[in-house]
DNA sequence: GCATTGACGAAGG
DNA sequence: CCCTTCGCCAATG
């Protein structure tokens, strides 16, 4: 079940007064990524129904740093399997190290066998 | 309140 | 096949 995040506490509230289902869902999905698997921003966006809003997923990851929850953002890469978000971690190498620690091979800032270990939220969550 | 910027992605040249 | 443009939506200046 998706625990509702207190917008005023975890995330800033939209000026339009709109609910942050998007961010909530993003966190929820990312938290469910199995260890040793990765997914992409676009896949998450697709699961949320707005495939064109992949950028917002990345933005949510950025917001995940401020969130109390520990979001395994290192398991989220771009569609290419590239660690584009590594620069947003504490250290540029942290993301890669975390992935390697989980058994994910990383070469040249890209997840090896990305397609194999790719985790599709749409399938796993049985939409 | 408008303009610019993103941890993206697909499409067009 | 590489580079550019556009779309998406929220945050920031």
């Amino acid at each position: 079940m998706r625990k509702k995040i207190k917008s005023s506490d975890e995330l800033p509230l939209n000026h339009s007064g709109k609910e942050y289902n998007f961010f909530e869902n993003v966190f929820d999905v990312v938290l469910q990524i199995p260890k040793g698997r990765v997914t992409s921003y676009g896949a998450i966006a697709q699961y949320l129904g707005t495939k064109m809003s992949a950028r917002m997923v990345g933005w949510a990851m950025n917001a995940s740093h401020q969130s109390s929850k520990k979001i395994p953002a290192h398991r989220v890469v771009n569609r290419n399997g590239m660690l584009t978000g590594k620069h947003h971690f504490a250290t540029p190498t942290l993301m890669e190290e975390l992935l390697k620690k989980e058994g994910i091979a990383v070469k040249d800032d890209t997840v090896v066998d990305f397609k194999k270990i790719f985790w599709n939220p749409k399938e796993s969550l049985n939409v």
Side-chain angles (χ1 to χ4, degrees):
Chain A
M1 66 243 162
R2 285 146 197 171
K3 187 173 137 214
K4 192 175 171 84
I5 299 176
K6 287 161 62 183
S7 305
S8 53
D9 198 43
E10 301 287 344
L11 297 165
L13 190 62
N14 189 347
H15 57 67
S16 306
K18 191 166 114 191
E19 271 191 70
Y20 267 86
N21 286 354
F22 202 94
F23 277 44
E24 290 179 27
N25 283 318
V26 170
F27 291 143
D28 191 33
V29 172
V30 174
L31 284 168
Q32 293 182 60
I33 301 175
K35 180 183 171 188
R37 307 290 292 280
V38 294
T39 191
S40 68
Y41 305 95
I44 296 173
Q46 246 181 66
Y47 167 70
L48 299 180
T50 57
K51 62 178 182 192
M52 292 177 173
S53 305
R55 308 177 91 166
M56 296 301 98
V57 178
W59 200 253
M61 294 295 96
N62 193 19
S64 74
H65 286 289
Q66 75 177 1
S67 177
S68 312
K69 304 178 183 307
K70 294 189 185 72
I71 311 295
H74 58 279
R75 296 186 187 143
V76 185
V77 294
N78 71 353
R79 69 165 190 101
N80 220 6
M82 194 188 254
L83 311 185
T84 48
K86 59 184 284 184
H87 297 296
H88 292 264
F89 283 78
T91 62
T93 54
L94 180 60
M95 186 175 186
E96 183 175 334
E97 307 238 342
L98 288 172
L99 288 173
K100 285 186 176 176
K101 217 178 275 188
E102 297 185 356
I104 301 176
V106 176
K107 175 130 189 147
D108 196 38
D109 291 345
T110 306
V111 175
V112 180
D113 291 330
F114 173 63
K115 282 176 69 178
K116 288 185 181 178
I117 63 178
F118 178 76
W119 180 77
N120 192 334
K122 276 198 147 186
E123 296 174 0
S124 302
L125 300 181
N126 186 30
V127 178

